Amino acid sequence: MKLKNNLIVTLPDFAKHFDYNEFWENRRQFIRDMHPSKVYYWNNEQRNAYDNIVLWINGGESAEDSIIKNGIRALEILISRPIGKDEIEEHKSFPDLSSQIIRVQAGTRLDLPSYTNETFDSINLRYHKIEVYGNSNKPAVITIGTKDSVTLYATEITYVTEVENLFIEFLPTHIQNNIYDLSLVSEEGHFFSSLNVRNLFSVKQISYKDVISFALTDDGYIFIDSQGKPIIMSNSINQLKFMLKYNGKAFYVKANENHAVILYKDGTLKSTSGNIITNKVVYADI
């Protein structure tokens, strides 16, 4: 696991870089990476502490008070210091990064834990919707490590991709070329958005419900519906759609002129270029 962008491989590492907020957001990595089969525990007390923390994590924040208290006490054993009440209270107001919809207050900053080059036995890509709320006229700044950031004002939204609680990239909510203008419109608290497609010549507009990912081509557009099916509204890509087919749910699409790529939820990437694509891909560019 990682804390404060440091790789944690020992209990002293865990204690040195411990941060309550980061621990909770990376709690699934704690279960996986801090298992006694991977990390050396000095005694039975520490091994029992790991078990109590896992019990707490699996119960979530709605777990029984006794399980939460035992979990916090177990954390204190592993980091060799008390956990202050202020650390826990601060965490309660921290956005829940495991939630499908992550709500961020306007005027604040949120740093998302970044995917770097981690390897996993299997890939299950996920989206999160980020909603900015509040009365401040200042924007919220959301970053993924040091590589990507977005600035959003109250009522604005974006989508971000994630694997194993590590965030990868922000997806566009508006794209335009010489023919079409595509934008997402979303209701607060509703995970999916509507894709509005406007023809700049005819001024005709059409809307598609429950969309997150979309892309423009030289003569049309493509989007992924809520069932993970690519919907191709482009003659140039439609002729090559057999190259994009795969027995799985599509995650997102990117396109440039008459070339498109589709990334599937399990990390398989398909392309109209005909290149041989490997699996376990978490990011695609074009």
Side-chain angles (χ1 to χ4, degrees):
M1 70 178 302
K2 280 189 174 183
L3 292 175
K4 297 180 180 176
N5 213 29
N6 293 282
L7 185 63
I8 307 301
V9 295
T10 67
L11 287 181
D13 290 339
F14 183 69
K16 179 180 179 181
H17 301 291
F18 179 79
D19 176 273
Y20 192 91
N21 283 332
E22 287 200 28
F23 157 75
W24 189 253
E25 298 308 330
N26 293 283
R27 59 194 181 277
R28 294 297 169 186
Q29 292 178 51
F30 174 89
I31 294 176
R32 181 192 67 202
D33 296 339
M34 300 298 288
H35 189 275
S37 65
K38 298 180 179 179
V39 172
Y40 182 73
Y41 287 76
W42 301 94
N43 51 49
N44 286 332
E45 183 184 34
Q46 290 179 337
R47 284 188 286 271
N48 290 336
Y50 170 85
D51 293 336
N52 285 331
I53 294 169
V54 171
L55 183 64
W56 169 34
I57 290 172
N58 287 334
E61 293 182 324
S62 59
E64 296 179 6
D65 287 344
S66 60
I67 292 176
I68 295 174
K69 288 179 181 178
N70 287 339
I72 293 174
R73 173 59 190 142
L75 267 182
E76 293 176 333
I77 291 172
L78 294 191
I79 65 175
S80 301
R81 70 166 177 85
I83 295 174
K85 185 178 179 180
D86 56 336
E87 295 179 72
I88 298 173
E89 290 302 316
E90 180 186 356
H91 164 74
K92 290 180 180 178
S93 62
F94 192 79
D96 182 3
L97 302 189
S98 65
S99 176
Q100 197 175 45
I101 299 177
I102 300 172
R103 288 175 51 79
V104 181
Q105 189 169 6
T108 64
R109 179 185 178 93
L110 176 62
D111 298 313
L112 300 172
S114 174
Y115 171 85
T116 51
N117 292 310
E118 287 82 358
T119 58
F120 306 105
D121 293 335
S122 61
I123 296 293
N124 181 31
L125 293 165
R126 298 176 61 205
Y127 311 108
H128 295 267
K129 179 186 179 187
I130 295 178
E131 294 182 344
V132 176
Y133 70 95
N135 299 317
S136 174
N137 59 3
K138 295 181 179 180
V141 178
I142 303 105
T143 68
I144 301 176
T146 58
K147 65 183 180 182
D148 204 358
S149 68
V150 293
T151 300
L152 302 172
Y153 289 86
T155 74
E156 292 185 325
I157 65 106
T158 191
Y159 289 93
V160 63
T161 65
E162 169 256 302
V163 61
E164 295 292 337
N165 302 306
L166 297 174
F167 291 81
I168 306 162
E169 62 181 310
F170 298 106
L171 299 181
T173 56
H174 176 253
I175 307 175
Q176 180 178 312
N177 63 10
N178 294 328
I179 306 174
Y180 292 102
D181 182 284
L182 276 62
S183 61
L184 293 181
V185 177
S186 184
E187 295 181 14
E188 182 178 347
H190 186 67
F191 180 63
F192 285 99
S193 296
S194 293
L195 175 63
N196 288 343
V197 178
R198 183 164 58 96
N199 188 305
L200 299 177
F201 291 103
S202 66
V203 198
K204 180 181 178 182
Q205 181 167 302
I206 187 169
S207 182
Y208 301 94
K209 291 183 178 180
D210 298 339
V211 176
I212 290 175
S213 175
F214 59 96
L216 277 168
T217 68
D218 58 350
D219 65 348
Y221 51 92
I222 310 170
F223 65 90
I224 308 299
D225 71 10
S226 61
Q227 303 303 310
K229 179 182 177 183
I231 307 299
I232 301 174
M233 309 295 288
S234 164
N235 290 330
S236 61
I237 302 300
N238 207 39
Q239 296 173 12
L240 302 171
K241 65 180 181 180
F242 67 94
M243 303 178 76
L244 299 172
K245 278 190 175 181
Y246 176 68
N247 186 24
K249 286 191 174 182
F251 183 64
Y252 72 46
V253 58
K254 293 184 178 181
N256 182 24
E257 297 182 348
N258 62 351
H259 176 44
V261 296
I262 292 180
L263 180 61
Y264 287 81
K265 281 182 65 67
D266 66 357
T268 298
L269 184 66
K270 292 288 184 175
S271 169
T272 55
S273 68
N275 294 335
I276 297 175
I277 307 299
T278 59
N279 59 3
K280 296 188 179 178
V281 178
V282 301
Y283 170 84
D285 209 348
I286 189 168

